[in-house]
């Protein structure tokens, strides 16, 4: 397939290896990956903080950039959920019927990485090798909005050399929530404390997830505890092979 990669702001600015891993993984599976260098933010931060007009400008740009795409894949459940679930709502709020039509045409072709692999391609074993103890945190947007279900776990269970450890309270939010962590720092920190405790209780070396925004939060908590455990995006684990462990 011809796959357009939407890298997301967080990955572009802070976690470029995740984008590199996504490209490596998809190309290894035989797909052509295209990267639109003019891509910008999906508009989620703007919409979530009440800047609807700013969000609509970014939504229109996203549609212009990807209207002809066969599929758009994102290593982020949060941004994929924004496009699939909130773009239509934003177009309705803005009273833009043409934008709504275009969004409704494009949204079904937008995928979070794990759901693309498992649900669209029917692939659960990507030939990955990752010799570490790993636990998985299901992010809120992927789990509750996109409903990717156990797609990430089905991929992880087929990674050779890896010990997958069950995370207690896995479905509980890590406490990040974008601007939630800024507006409600005490609550956010308490939720993070619960999450990091559960991660450390597994004995895992690595906590993985499909969103680097959540991993940034969890990783910060683990670092402050000097725990020795770290975080790695799902794409980086899936891109690793016996010849080269990506992360």
């Amino acid at each position: 397939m011809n796959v357009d990669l939407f890298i997301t702001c967080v990955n572009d600015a802070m976690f470029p290896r995740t984008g590199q891993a996504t490209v490596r993984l998809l190309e290894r599976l035989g797909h052509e990956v295209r990267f639109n260098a003019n891509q910008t933010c999906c508009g989620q931060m703007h919409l979530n903080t009440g800047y609807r007009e700013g969000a609509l400008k970014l939504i229109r740009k996203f549609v212009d950039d990807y209207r002809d795409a066969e599929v758009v894949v994102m290593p982020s459940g949060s941004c994929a959920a924004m496009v699939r679930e909130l773009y239509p709502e934003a177009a309705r709020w803005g009273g833009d019927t043409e934008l709504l039509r275009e969004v409704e045409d494009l949204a079904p072709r937008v995928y979070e990485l794990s759901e693309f692999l498992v649900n669209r391609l029917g692939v659960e074993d990507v030939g990955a090798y990752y010799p570490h103890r790993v636990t998985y945190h299901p992010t809120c947007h992927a789990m509750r909005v996109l409903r990717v279900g156990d797609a990430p776990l089905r991929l992880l269970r087929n990674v050779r050399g890896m010990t997958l450890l069950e995370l207690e309270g896995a479905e509980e939010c890590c406490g990040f929530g974008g601007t939630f962590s800024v507006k409600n720092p005490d609550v956010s920190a308490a939720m993070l404390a619960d999450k990091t405790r559960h991660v450390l209780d597994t004995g895992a070396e690595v906590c993985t997830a499909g969103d680097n925004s959540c991993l940034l939060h969890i990783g910060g908590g683990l670092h402050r505890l000097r725990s020795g455990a770290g975080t790695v995006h799902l794409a980086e684990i899936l891109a690793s092979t016996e010849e080269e462990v990506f992360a």
Side-chain angles (χ1 to χ4, degrees):
M1 299 182 69
N2 293 313
V3 178
D4 274 272
L5 173 64
F6 184 77
I7 190 59
T8 80
C9 298
V10 169
N11 291 327
D12 182 48
M14 302 181 68
F15 301 98
R17 286 175 62 85
T18 296
Q20 295 165 358
T22 303
V23 172
R24 179 181 297 186
L25 171 63
L26 292 172
E27 288 183 342
R28 190 172 77 218
L29 295 175
H31 305 285
E32 181 179 342
V33 181
R34 302 185 299 192
F35 180 79
N36 184 335
N38 293 319
Q39 62 183 267
T40 56
C41 178
C42 70
Q44 181 179 184
M45 292 184 292
H46 305 71
L47 195 65
N48 287 348
T49 49
Y51 294 97
R52 291 185 178 182
E53 287 304 316
L56 283 169
K57 290 179 182 178
L58 291 168
I59 291 170
R60 292 186 182 102
K61 181 173 181 1
F62 185 93
V63 170
D64 288 341
D65 287 343
Y66 297 106
R67 63 162 48 88
D68 297 323
E70 185 175 0
V71 291
V72 181
V73 173
M74 309 180 184
S76 166
S78 177
C79 296
M82 170 67 178
V83 176
R84 294 235 300 263
E85 297 295 322
L86 292 181
Y87 271 21
E89 291 299 317
R92 292 188 187 96
W93 294 332
D96 191 330
T97 56
E98 178 61 21
L99 179 62
L100 176 60
R101 183 192 65 77
E102 291 192 291
V103 164
E104 290 179 336
D105 176 69
L106 176 58
R109 290 179 274 136
V110 173
Y111 295 88
E112 179 270 339
L113 177 62
S114 71
E115 65 171 351
F116 176 67
L117 295 172
V118 174
N119 299 338
R120 178 66 187 267
L121 299 181
V123 174
E124 297 185 15
D125 187 343
V126 299
Y129 172 80
Y130 194 75
H132 298 285
R133 299 187 307 277
V134 177
T135 193
Y136 168 70
H137 165 68
T139 64
C140 291
H141 282 92
M143 177 175 58
R144 297 183 171 89
V145 181
L146 296 178
R147 296 180 175 85
V148 302
D150 66 346
L153 287 170
R154 287 157 72 179
L155 292 161
L156 288 169
R157 289 179 187 127
N158 283 290
V159 176
R160 293 161 184 80
M162 190 180 79
T163 302
L164 184 60
L165 302 164
E166 184 174 356
L167 180 65
E168 183 182 348
E171 296 187 355
E172 296 175 8
C173 177
C174 70
F176 181 61
T179 56
F180 173 84
S181 60
V182 178
K183 295 176 180 178
N184 303 277
D186 292 339
V187 176
S188 175
M191 296 170 75
L192 175 62
D194 288 341
K195 182 62 65 175
T196 53
R197 184 179 72 254
H198 292 320
V199 169
L200 294 177
D201 285 347
T202 68
E205 301 166 80
V206 170
C207 176
T208 191
D211 279 270
N212 271 325
S213 52
C214 299
L215 291 177
L216 178 68
H217 193 55
I218 296 169
L222 293 172
H223 178 73
R224 285 191 294 275
L225 292 171
R226 300 182 180 181
S227 65
T231 56
V232 176
H233 192 281
L234 175 67
E236 296 172 46
I237 292 176
L238 298 180
S240 296
T241 63
E242 289 193 52
E243 289 71 29
E244 183 178 5
V245 176
F246 195 84

